[in-house]
């Protein structure tokens, strides 16, 4: 009988953006691959896709319907491995998999950055920690993606197995620096001049991503780096407020709000420096992609940024309260092309050496294959 794996998350774009290499690997092993998430995106390497109304808010009543649909799908399909992602997708799937685990299914959950962590608001600990503590008992393998979460999980959670995997991986052959002539030609095609100095931050506009911090920092250097531009790609609830703030600071002509983009490889290729202002990260793909393109990074210090950025080696980590220091680092790089190249090369070396897709796939294969070899996996088939 053909073995089956189910991948689940809150929204299906999560798989298109981060997990296609892992769906492909299962297909290459001869497995049927199913996906359950909200959305109607067509995904390659998938035999069956379910549009489930999972909502991000734990309070949304639609999640009850999503739970019932997930439970029926899991019970009907008798999966051998279930790999769930995102807080609500992971919570509902693990609850819906209780019966399946009794019949031998193995449930894996990847925590893409716990909402409760060192420095997190007390409310996060009150809301999310008790839930994860209970759900850990319904988890065969809990995958964490940074050192801080790994050690936190070992101390606080009781999953059968706790693993550290270096994120979802970056395709370092796709995201890579381009030759100077190609960079200039690409800049012109986007309407930028060869001598423009481009800072870039792609992220959803919300309180955690903290783009207002970048606007304050950029405002401090607008006259010191007259050719500077700030590229902010993304959408979200905070976009309108950021646009209004840029107008109040009179920097709107130098800040480009790019909206949702599918051309991040090109946008990173034309840029000079990657910046990051988020208050909380698990292991940010946007920063990893920028580093793979040899952009030095200036970022607000958090656990995910600490995992990637070696201070003074491939970029700088700045306290969330030090907007002036952040702006100073922006100015330093704008005036030192040699330092940009030095930090950028070290950043790409970091990604290629530890965080590219083949290395992350090898880590995940060890976990998947350990369950493929177990007698219990596939027990559904003989009952």
């Amino acid at each position: 009988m053909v073995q089956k794996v189910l991948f689940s998350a809150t929204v299906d774009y999560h798989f298109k953006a981060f997990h296609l290499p892992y769906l492909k690997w299962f297909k290459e092993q001869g497995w049927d691959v199913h996906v359950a998430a909200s959305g109607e995106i067509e995904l390659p390497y998938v035999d069956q896709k379910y549009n489930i109304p999972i909502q991000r808010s734990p309070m949304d009543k639609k999640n009850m319907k999503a739970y019932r649909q997930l439970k029926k799908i899991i019970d009907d399909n008798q999966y051998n491995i279930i790999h769930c992602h995102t807080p609500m997708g992971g919570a509902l799937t693990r609850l819906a998999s209780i019966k399946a685990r009794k019949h031998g299914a193995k449930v894996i959950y990847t925590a893409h950055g716990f909402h409760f962590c060192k420095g997190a608001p007390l409310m996060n600990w009150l809301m999310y920690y008790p839930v994860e503590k209970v759900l850990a008992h319904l988890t065969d393998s809990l995958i964490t993606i940074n050192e801080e979460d790994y050690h936190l999980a070992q101390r606080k959670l009781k999953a059968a197995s706790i693993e550290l995997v270096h994120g979802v991986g970056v395709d370092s052959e796709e995201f890579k620096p381009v030759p100077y002539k190609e960079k200039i030609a690409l800049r012109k095609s986007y309407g930028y001049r060869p001598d423009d100095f481009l800072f870039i931050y792609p992220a959803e506009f919300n309180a955690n991503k903290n783009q207002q911090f970048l606007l304050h920092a950029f405002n401090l250097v607008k006259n010191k780096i007259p050719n500077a531009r700030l590229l902010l790609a993304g959408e979200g609830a905070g976009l309108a407020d950021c646009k209004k703030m840029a107008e109040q600071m009179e920097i709107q002509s130098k800040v480009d709000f790019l909206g949702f983009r599918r051309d991040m490889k090109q946008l990173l290729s034309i840029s000079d420096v990657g910046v990051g202002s988020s208050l909380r990260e698990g292991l940010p793909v946007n920063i990893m992609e920028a580093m793979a393109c040899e952009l030095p990074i200036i970022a607000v210090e958090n656990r995910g940024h600490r995992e990637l950025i070696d201070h003074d080696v491939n970029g700088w980590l700045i306290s969330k309260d030090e907007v002036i220091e952040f702006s100073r680092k922006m100015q330093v790089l704008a005036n030192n092309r040699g330092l940009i190249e030095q930090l950028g090369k070290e950043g790409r070396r970091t990604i290629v050496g530890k965080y590219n897709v083949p290395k992350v796939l090898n880590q995940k294969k060890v976990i998947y294959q350990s369950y493929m070899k177990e007698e219990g996996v596939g027990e559904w088939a003989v009952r």
Side-chain angles (χ1 to χ4, degrees), residues 140-294:
D140 294 291
S141 181
L142 171 58
I143 297 176
T144 58
I145 62 173
N146 59 64
E147 292 275 357
E148 185 175 314
D149 279 359
Y150 175 66
H151 294 302
L152 177 63
Q154 286 187 314
R155 294 194 310 272
K156 299 286 189 180
L157 304 177
K158 301 297 181 184
S161 172
I162 298 172
E163 308 287 346
L164 174 62
V165 172
H166 297 130
V168 296
V170 171
D171 186 344
S172 56
E173 289 304 307
E174 179 180 6
F175 289 89
K176 59 184 179 181
V178 299
Y180 179 75
K181 287 185 178 180
E182 184 178 339
K183 185 184 188 93
I184 295 306
L186 195 56
R187 275 193 174 196
K188 289 180 179 178
S189 72
Y190 276 86
Y192 295 106
R193 299 172 302 183
D195 64 340
D196 282 335
F197 195 86
L198 306 182
F199 298 96
I200 187 168
Y201 184 49
E204 180 183 354
F205 281 80
N206 59 41
N208 177 57
K209 298 303 182 183
N210 195 27
Q211 283 92 342
Q212 294 183 358
F213 178 94
L214 293 179
L215 294 175
H216 282 295
F218 188 78
N219 188 44
L220 293 173
V221 299
K222 64 184 179 184
N223 296 323
K224 298 173 183 177
I225 318 173
N227 58 332
R229 301 284 288 268
L230 177 61
L231 280 54
L232 298 176
E235 298 176 337
L239 177 57
D241 286 342
C242 284
K243 285 184 175 180
K244 184 177 180 180
M245 177 180 288
E247 291 175 2
Q248 291 171 342
M249 293 177 172
E250 298 183 351
I251 56 175
Q252 69 271 23
S253 64
K254 293 175 173 286
V255 179
D256 295 330
F257 294 95
L258 303 176
F260 176 78
R261 305 299 292 238
R262 299 186 185 275
D263 56 347
M264 283 314 307
K265 180 175 67 172
Q266 291 79 11
L267 290 171
L268 291 170
S269 294
I270 68 173
S271 299
D272 295 289
V273 175
V275 290
S277 52
S278 52
L279 302 173
R280 185 189 70 252
E281 289 287 357
L283 197 70
V285 172
N286 56 356
I287 297 298
M288 289 193 285
E289 290 175 346
M291 291 170 68
C293 292
E294 290 193 0

Side-chain angles (χ1 to χ4, degrees), residues 3 25-26 29 31 80-81 104 106 365-379:
Q3 307 281 287
W25 182 80
F26 268 101
Q29 311 313 302
W31 282 50
N80 307 98
I81 293 177
K106 298 299 180 180
K365 279 162 58 175
V366 171
I367 298 170
Y368 293 144
Q369 289 171 337
S370 71
Y371 294 135
M372 290 174 175
K373 294 174 184 176
E374 289 188 13
E375 276 188 28
V377 176
E379 194 175 337

Side-chain angles (χ1 to χ4, degrees), residues 51-105:
N51 184 356
I52 307 296
I54 303 174
Q55 305 298 308
R56 288 180 177 175
S57 170
M59 303 295 110
D60 197 306
K61 293 180 180 178
K62 290 182 181 178
N63 284 321
M64 288 302 298
K65 179 180 179 181
Y67 164 77
R68 290 192 293 269
Q69 290 183 5
L70 275 169
K71 189 175 188 310
K72 185 175 189 324
I73 289 165
I74 291 168
D75 290 347
D76 288 351
N77 282 282
Q78 303 179 2
Y79 296 106
N80 307 98
I81 293 177
I82 299 167
H83 192 169
C84 49
H85 302 263
T86 68
M88 282 310 301
L92 293 176
T93 302
R94 283 181 285 176
L95 289 171
S97 301
I98 291 174
K99 179 181 176 182
R101 289 185 75 231
K102 292 178 180 178
H103 288 273

